[in-house]
Amino acid sequence: MPPRLLHILSRGGLLPPPLRRRSPSPLLRRIPLAKRPGAFFLSPVRAFSGHSGMAADSLEQQRRRSVVVRETVELTEKEEQIFQRLLEVVRHFGLGTQLRVAGGWVRDKLLGKDSADIDIALDNMMGQNFCEKVNEYLESIGEKQKGIGVIQCNPDQSKHLETARMLILDTWIDFVNLRSETYAENSRIPTMEVGTAKEDAYRRDLTINSLFFNINNNSVEDLTGRGIEDLKRGLIVTPLPAKATFLDDPLRVLRAIRFAARFNFTLAEDLKEAAYDERVKSELGNKISRERIGHEIDLMMSDKHPVKAMCDIRDLGLFYAVFSLPENSSPSVFDKCDQQCVSHIEAAWNLAYSIGSPVFSSGSDPKLQDEQRRLCLYSALFTPLRNMFYLDKKSKKVPVSSYITKNSLKLKASDAETVVNVHAASEKFAELVLLLESNVDVGTLKKKLEDEYLEIPTDSVKRVFAGLILREIKDFWRVALLISVLTYPEAENAADVINKQDELRLRKEKYTRVERAITDLDLDGVWKLKPVLDGKSIMGVMQVKSGGPLIGKWQQRALKWQLAHPNGTMDECIEWMKQSQSKRQKVETST
């Protein structure tokens, strides 16, 4: 049994494709809604969002929008075959079971989006029991039985009820019974009971996620009475009163923000009031594990409108509950830290949008492009904190951004390392930008790069310095350059880059010039450059039998020599080593 497949949000690159309308194919069957809501229309959803700047629409424009909600659910041929097979099982055993597809699949189908996330809600039996009936039916018609995977309750992963899954016509389907739930004080883990379809709809997080598609009668069921209406209005609403919903399960605050950002929808006013409530904020920190908070934030960062999500977190006063900071940081947390952080991610988003997709170009690997985009956003968000540190339990000095990434969000250690490295490289890039953008004397930098054994030609200093930076940051060099151009020279605040088109244009032009200069120096991919001399070769030249710090120093010198002499050969590098050692020995002898 393979591991549980995660629902994958539409991520894509920085410029996601526009929504496409598909004409019904001969393989599609049109299915009427239980209650036809009429025709609805949508202005194209913007790929880039935020509450200000060139990438954003005004709130008034967003309110005037309406959303295209289809009057019918269009089944693919495979979906029709799957549903027919399930109905055959019900009829064969006389189960009388009402089969309903729940939640996100229905919402996405009505929005004209494809979805492979099919969850079946059963009204009169448990999921495992139904799967066993499916296997009995398969055996009766001479087909091979399928394995049944049972996913146990796991509240920490938002799994409050046992779920069974199996392959139906080569597609993974989840089966679970309809349920109602009640919450105890100080717990987000509900007491689950078998419920009706209406009870199940009302216990869900949002009205747009409470819709059912009834397979038995081919209809969409809107049992809260407003799921379809909220979908067409682009409104994020809870089925039950928002404050009670959030106090029961505070994670739903972040889910509401995530879905609002994902679809570029608007949070309802009563929902915003509830999210802003001090008790809800406190419960978010006390009831919810850091892993779950980090997972929701990571989904926001990986989706199409991460800036909108971060703006909502800031505006609802949730920033410090989500991105908890260490005690006794140095310097201490400054005033309006949350506003500065979100302004930086918004400025970085707008600057990246202005520059275009090359910021995250990594050959043909879309996964690496997505990873660069995600970590660029984290790096931008934490840029105002880049010079803040705290002492850990071992009295080690640790960047605050690393604490947030690893402790507050429980993301990978490699994510924290990348963010710290991007901040360090952006500072070095600031010096490189100054060198490339002006005729300043490179003498000071030349002396810093050289030592008694190595002399770098003056016209190669820029290439050596840039090459060393790129070898440290590797594929993320364009991300570090973007953060550097955004941060240095420092504007009065990041909002200057968001709101002032001239400022945005100037920083875009600077990014483009420096990127072109690095490319002209033939340094893109320099981190893949094989050293002209490895440690063993250097040991041979120096006639020593073991390595150590001395060999490490010579490896670094050889790398600088190689960057300064891109066409140099191994023999030429060896000759340089011998000559530099000989000169040094003569100097030492004469002194």
Side-chain angles (χ1 to χ4, degrees):
M1 181 72 191
R4 173 163 177 76
L5 303 177
L6 295 175
H7 176 68
I8 301 175
L9 294 172
S10 173
R11 289 170 61 176
L14 189 63
L15 293 168
L19 298 176
R20 292 177 296 177
R21 281 198 190 118
R22 297 184 304 172
S23 56
S25 130
L27 301 178
L28 298 176
R29 180 167 54 135
R30 299 185 67 79
I31 299 169
L33 294 172
K35 297 179 180 179
R36 291 177 177 269
F40 313 119
F41 302 95
L42 168 69
S43 303
V45 175
R46 291 290 300 268
F48 293 84
S49 78
H51 293 174
S52 59
M54 64 174 293
D57 293 318
S58 70
L59 293 178
E60 185 60 34
Q61 286 175 309
Q62 292 180 29
R63 291 191 189 100
R64 286 200 300 266
R65 283 201 189 120
S66 56
V67 179
V68 171
V69 176
R70 294 188 173 190
E71 295 188 30
T72 60
V73 168
E74 295 180 348
L75 296 183
T76 64
E77 184 178 34
K78 172 60 72 69
E79 289 167 340
E80 190 169 334
Q81 291 171 350
I82 290 170
F83 295 166
Q84 187 59 40
R85 170 59 55 90
L86 298 179
L87 289 173
E88 289 170 2
V89 174
V90 172
R91 288 193 290 264
H92 181 80
F93 293 104
L95 300 176
T97 306
Q98 289 288 308
L99 302 170
R100 292 176 171 90
V101 188
W105 181 91
V106 187
R107 176 201 65 223
D108 290 348
K109 282 288 186 177
L110 291 178
L111 291 175
K113 302 174 183 290
D114 292 326
S115 178
D117 192 19
I118 302 178
D119 298 331
I120 304 293
L122 310 166
D123 69 335
N124 64 354
M125 63 195 311
M126 300 292 287
Q128 184 175 358
N129 299 136
F130 187 82
C131 289
E132 290 168 352
K133 289 295 183 183
V134 173
N135 270 337
E136 287 184 45
Y137 177 74
L138 292 176
E139 186 176 32
S140 72
I141 62 174
E143 292 190 18
K144 185 178 178 181
Q145 294 190 358
K146 304 296 183 182
I148 301 171
V150 178
I151 304 166
Q152 302 296 336
C153 300
N154 187 350
D156 285 339
Q157 298 298 319
S158 289
K159 273 290 174 188
H160 300 307
L161 196 67
E162 180 181 286
T163 303
R165 39 186 358 244
M166 71 184 303
L167 278 173
I168 306 291
L169 300 177
D170 300 320
T171 300
W172 287 106
I173 309 294
D174 284 4
F175 296 89
V176 68
N177 60 287
L178 294 170
R179 66 266 200 196
S180 63
E181 59 189 28
T182 56
Y183 287 84
E185 189 76 18
N186 297 322
S187 174
R188 62 175 290 267
I189 302 172
T191 300
M192 308 299 301
E193 297 177 354
V194 175
T196 64
K198 188 169 185 176
E199 287 173 330
D200 193 285
Y202 272 96
R203 71 157 191 90
R204 293 183 180 264
D205 55 358
L206 303 171
T207 57
I208 64 170
N209 295 336
S210 68
L211 300 167
F212 290 114
F213 172 69
N214 190 312
I215 296 174
N216 298 64
N217 58 29
N218 295 334
S219 66
V220 172
E221 297 173 336
D222 183 2
L223 301 179
T224 68
R226 60 175 301 172
I228 292 172
E229 180 66 18
D230 290 336
L231 196 61
K232 76 169 184 176
R233 293 171 62 196
L235 200 59
I236 298 296
V237 183
T238 55
L240 296 173
K243 185 175 178 179
T245 297
F246 293 159
L247 289 175
D248 282 343
D249 185 357
L251 185 66
R252 290 181 170 182
V253 177
L254 298 184
R255 285 178 56 83
I257 291 171
R258 174 162 65 86
F259 281 108
R262 179 181 178 186
F263 296 111
N264 205 20
F265 283 4
T266 302
L267 296 170
E269 288 302 317
D270 68 321
L271 186 150
K272 289 193 287 188
E273 289 178 12
Y276 202 79
D277 184 87
E278 290 300 325
R279 189 180 168 198
V280 170
K281 295 177 193 177
S282 176
E283 293 291 87
L284 179 62
N286 294 332
K287 276 190 177 183
I288 309 300
S289 71
R290 284 286 142 191
E291 288 82 0
R292 291 302 301 154
I293 290 175
H295 180 65
E296 286 297 323
I297 296 300
D298 218 33
L299 290 175
M300 295 176 198
M301 288 294 205
S302 302
D303 217 328
K304 292 182 179 180
H305 302 281
V307 172
K308 175 173 167 43
M310 294 304 109
C311 286
D312 284 338
I313 286 174
R314 174 198 63 196
D315 295 343
L316 295 174
L318 296 169
F319 185 89
Y320 298 107
V322 172
F323 304 105
S324 63
L325 300 170
E327 296 180 2
N328 302 320
S329 61
S330 179
S332 58
V333 178
F334 52 89
D335 187 38
K336 298 183 179 179
C337 171
D338 56 339
Q339 295 183 30
Q340 281 292 309
C341 288
V342 176
S343 289
H344 272 77
I345 191 175
E346 192 168 7
W349 182 259
N350 286 353
L351 183 57
Y353 169 82
S354 176
I355 293 167
S357 57
V359 176
F360 309 114
S361 59
S362 291
S364 57
D365 187 348
K367 288 185 177 179
L368 185 54
Q369 291 177 24
D370 288 348
E371 190 73 349
Q372 288 179 356
R373 174 187 179 275
R374 183 178 72 91
L375 290 172
C376 174
L377 294 172
Y378 280 120
S379 299
L381 182 67
F382 301 143
T383 291
L385 312 177
R386 67 191 181 283
N387 295 322
M388 293 174 59
F389 298 85
Y390 79 103
L391 296 180
D392 66 8
K393 294 179 181 179
K394 298 180 180 178
S395 296
K396 181 181 178 182
K397 195 176 179 182
V398 179
V400 165
S401 63
S402 182
Y403 175 91
I404 298 174
T405 308
K406 289 196 294 185
N407 296 72
S408 300
L409 302 179
K410 296 295 184 181
L411 301 181
K412 297 179 293 184
S414 59
D415 289 347
E417 184 180 359
T418 297
V419 170
V420 171
N421 288 342
V422 166
H423 288 160
S426 68
E427 191 171 344
K428 293 178 182 177
F429 263 123
E431 189 175 352
L432 176 64
V433 168
L434 186 62
L435 285 173
L436 296 174
E437 290 278 278
S438 63
N439 294 320
V440 298
D441 181 23
V442 298
T444 302
L445 180 59
K446 186 174 186 294
K447 290 178 180 178
K448 188 191 299 185
L449 295 171
E450 295 177 340
D451 61 22
E452 63 269 29
Y453 293 99
L454 174 66
E455 184 177 343
I456 299 174
T458 301
D459 59 358
S460 297
V461 169
K462 295 178 182 179
R463 188 177 197 277
V464 173
F465 185 56
L468 293 174
I469 298 174
L470 265 64
R471 284 182 69 87
E472 288 181 7
I473 200 67
K474 298 177 180 162
D475 286 299
F476 284 83
W477 74 267
R478 286 184 173 87
V479 170
L481 175 59
L482 182 139
I483 300 297
S484 181
V485 168
L486 175 67
T487 311
Y488 304 99
E490 297 199 34
E492 291 183 10
N493 57 68
D496 290 344
V497 184
I498 303 171
N499 298 320
K500 297 179 180 178
Q501 292 300 303
D502 287 343
E503 185 69 29
L504 182 68
R505 177 181 55 79
L506 290 173
R507 298 199 182 222
K508 172 189 174 182
E509 290 173 354
K510 179 180 290 187
Y511 174 95
T512 304
R513 288 195 302 270
V514 175
E515 182 196 38
R516 186 181 302 117
I518 289 173
T519 305
D520 290 344
L521 289 170
D522 195 24
L523 289 173
D524 191 9
V526 70
W527 54 92
K528 301 174 185 176
L529 183 67
K530 183 179 179 181
V532 67
L533 290 181
D534 57 19
K536 187 175 181 180
S537 300
I538 291 173
M539 288 166 56
V541 175
M542 301 190 67
Q543 297 181 346
V544 295
K545 294 183 178 180
S546 61
L550 179 63
I551 301 303
K553 289 180 180 179
W554 273 104
Q555 284 180 301
Q556 188 67 6
R557 291 183 186 117
L559 173 60
K560 292 176 183 177
W561 182 92
Q562 188 174 0
L563 289 170
H565 305 84
N567 297 317
T569 64
M570 179 189 293
D571 290 339
E572 289 171 340
C573 188
I574 291 173
E575 183 61 27
W576 158 74
M577 276 192 66
K578 290 178 177 179
Q579 287 182 4
S580 61
Q581 286 181 296
S582 177
K583 287 180 183 179
R584 180 61 184 167
Q585 288 171 357
K586 288 179 181 179
V587 170
E588 290 176 350
T589 301
S590 64
T591 56

